[in-house]
């Protein structure tokens, strides 16, 4: 189910956003023309260095992972974690599946939650063996060294990120890249930045093996560390949708190394249609994340700027989050009414802030959790809160459209529960078939 909301151009929305967008595009076009001229006359100028001298293009986030503070159980295993030191004299190789492609790529490496500066000694990007996710070998001759403002190494300050220089590495839509980094000194803290719920296998090995064709004896870990984004230089008509979510979007219940979370399957649908094959999908979700309070990672209101508004080329936002707020609030009538009211307030704030940056915002209804041992309560107070939030999402008109994940996933005979064919077994999370149903419930016309 999709319904139009009171977003851009609608009554109660922003006034004449198309005029502002047209003026900005005209200014960008003029500046872009100047950049091309300078880059053509002065080789090695600013236009060439950051990849923007190519006419008619822009950088778009083609893959993202929400940065968060690494929990003790998700740290690299010994000897890669020592007292006060992580990944000293260590090589880390990890694979990521991009959405849209382009002739050039660049990386974002994050030290958002590090307790000390992050010294990247060397880095490279390559094509993995067989084009597969979760493998340690790379295709011979595909390695490209990564530089940062012309340097072969970089130190990422605490709380900061670095963006690499562009790499001439033509990347096909839906393909997999292998990113390898070497830390000679390691990071002098056990507070490090990662994305634990990668559902993708990475590899750790001692020594500088950034360019090694394979990593025999490497230690496999199903986490991503430090890498928070991949961007491609692509057509100006290409744009990204960012997805704010929790474990249901992060892919708990999906298949390791198969990239069958619902955002992955949504991208596969979109790229099969020439009218939407220029839409990138950025998954900015984490298991245990909440909208109102910090949980696993900062609350969604607090991370909206970093994870959505500051991402390159984002035109749309899907908000699919709130179950963890309801499930961790007390199972009393008063507490659940309060959390429902607070979620509605938070969603209204997200829409306001995203609209200010000319993003269209789509609200996804919360899926059932009946029968879940932790979240379902016998008096149904949490279910009442879920229904209240979903009613507001469907009827308030604040979202530019509504995506009815509740309808797509619920059991018609027992609407408080997931369809048995979609339930991974805990009454809350979905299996790959369930995630396919969510992806199918997102109308492609929202991105045309």
């Amino acid at each position: 189910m999709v319904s139009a909301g009171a977003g851009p151009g609608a009554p109660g929305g922003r006034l004449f956003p198309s005029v502002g967008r047209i003026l900005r595009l005209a200014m960008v076009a003029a500046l872009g023309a100047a950049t091309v001229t300078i880059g053509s006359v002065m080789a090695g100028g600013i236009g060439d260095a950051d990849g923007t001298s190519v006419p008619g293009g822009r950088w778009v986030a083609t893959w993202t992972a929400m940065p968060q503070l690494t929990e003790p159980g998700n740290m690299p295993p010994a000897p890669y974690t020592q007292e006060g030191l992580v990944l000293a004299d260590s090589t880390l190789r990890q694979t990521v599946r991009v959405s849209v492609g382009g002739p050039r790529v660049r990386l974002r490496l994050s030290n958002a939650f590090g307790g000390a500066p992050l010294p990247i000694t060397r880095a490279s990007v390559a094509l993995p063996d067989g084009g597969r996710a979760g493998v340690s070998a790379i295709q011979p001759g595909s390695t490209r060294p990564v530089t940062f403002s012309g340097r072969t190494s970089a130190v990422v300050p605490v709380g900061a990120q670095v963006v690499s220089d562009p790499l001439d590495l033509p990347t096909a839509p839906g393909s997999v890249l292998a990113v390898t980094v070497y830390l000679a000194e390691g990071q002098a803290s056990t507070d490090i930045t990662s994305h634990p719920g990668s559902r993708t296998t990475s590899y750790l090995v001692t020594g500088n093996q950034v360019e090694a064709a394979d990593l025999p004896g490497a230690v496999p870990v199903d986490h991503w560390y430090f890498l928070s984004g991949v961007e491609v230089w692509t057509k100006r008509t290409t744009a990204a949708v960012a997805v704010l979510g929790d474990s249901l979007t992060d892919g708990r219940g999906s298949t390791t190394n198969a990239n069958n979370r619902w955002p992955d399957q949504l991208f596969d649908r979109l790229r099969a249609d020439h009218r939407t094959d220029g839409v990138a999908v950025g998954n900015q979700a984490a298991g245990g994340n909440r909208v109102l309070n910090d949980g696993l990672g900062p609350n969604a209101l607090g991370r909206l700027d970093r994870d959505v508004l500051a991402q390159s080329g984002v035109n749309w936002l899907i908000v699919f989050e709130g179950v963890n707020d309801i499930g961790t609030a007390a199972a009393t009538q008063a507490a659940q009414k309060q959390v429902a009211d607070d979620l509605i307030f938070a969603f209204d704030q997200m829409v306001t802030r995203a609209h200010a940056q000319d993003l269209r915002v789509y609200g996804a209804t919360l899926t059932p959790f009946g029968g879940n041992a932790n979240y379902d309560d016998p008096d149904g107070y949490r279910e009442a809160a879920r229904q209240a939030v979903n009613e507001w999402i469907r009827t308030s008109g604040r979202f530019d459209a509504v995506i009815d994940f509740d309808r797509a996933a619920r059991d018609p005979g027992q609407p408080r529960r997931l369809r048995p064919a979609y339930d991974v077994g805990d009454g809350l999370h979905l299996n790959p078939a369930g995630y396919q149903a969510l992806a199918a419930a997102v109308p492609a016309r929202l991105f045309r």
Side-chain angles (χ1 to χ4, degrees), residues 388-413:
V389 170
N390 281 350
E391 179 68 12
W392 184 86
I393 291 172
R394 290 185 178 110
T395 64
S396 68
R398 284 293 285 141
F399 289 106
D400 298 303
V402 174
I403 303 168
D404 206 337
F405 282 166
D406 174 40
R407 174 179 289 185
R410 71 192 181 205
D411 184 347

Side-chain angles (χ1 to χ4, degrees), residues 7-65:
R14 293 163 293 162
L15 294 177
F16 310 115
S18 58
V19 175
R21 186 182 293 273
I22 290 169
L23 290 173
R24 279 199 309 279
L25 287 175
M27 293 175 65
V28 169
L31 290 172
T35 302
V36 173
T37 302
I38 294 170
S40 301
V41 175
M42 299 178 63
I46 294 176
D48 285 335
D50 65 6
T52 57
S53 63
V54 180
R58 69 169 178 169
W59 289 105
V60 173
T62 185
W63 174 89
T64 60

Side-chain angles (χ1 to χ4, degrees), residues 63 65 67 92 94 96 106-113 118-125 146-148 152-165 179-183 187 193-194 224-231 306 311:
W63 174 89
L92 164 66
Q94 39 204 350
V96 299
R106 67 185 186 186
L107 310 178
R108 289 193 185 204
L109 294 166
S110 175
N111 193 24
F113 299 98
L118 171 63
I120 304 294
T121 309
R122 291 289 185 276
S124 69
V125 176
V146 174
T147 57
F148 307 90
T152 58
S153 62
V155 177
V156 191
V158 171
Q161 66 172 335
V162 295
V163 180
S164 78
D165 298 329
V179 178
T180 309
V181 298
Y182 170 65
L183 280 66
Q187 188 165 13
T193 303
S194 70
W224 287 312
Y225 298 102
F226 312 132
L227 186 63
S228 65
V230 177
E231 299 179 348
R306 182 195 67 203
Q311 296 297 316

Side-chain angles (χ1 to χ4, degrees), residues 33 39 65 92 117 133 261 315 329 331 361 364 368 388 412 441:
L92 164 66
R261 315 163 190 84
N315 280 14
V361 190

Side-chain angles (χ1 to χ4, degrees), residues 46 86 130 139 149 302 380 392 399 447:
I46 294 176
V86 177
Q139 297 179 24
S149 298
W392 184 86
F399 289 106
F447 308 103

Side-chain angles (χ1 to χ4, degrees), residues 259-334:
N259 288 297
N260 54 16
R261 315 163 190 84
W262 75 259
D264 298 303
Q265 298 195 57
L266 172 61
F267 167 71
D268 290 335
R269 275 189 57 223
L270 296 177
R271 73 164 168 161
D273 187 332
H274 70 90
R275 295 170 295 179
T276 53
D277 61 4
V279 178
V281 180
N283 190 335
Q284 295 287 42
N289 195 242
R290 292 186 287 180
V291 174
L292 303 170
N293 297 290
D294 292 355
L296 296 183
N299 66 82
L301 271 178
R303 65 187 182 89
L304 181 69
D305 294 271
R306 182 195 67 203
D307 292 348
V308 178
L309 304 183
Q311 296 297 316
S312 299
V314 173
N315 280 14
W316 308 277
L317 166 63
I318 295 176
V319 180
F320 176 41
E321 194 163 1
V323 164
N324 290 326
D325 297 83
I326 292 172
T328 55
T332 66
Q333 187 173 20

Side-chain angles (χ1 to χ4, degrees), residues 67-78:
Q68 57 192 107
L69 177 65
T70 310
E71 299 172 284
N74 294 322
M75 293 289 290

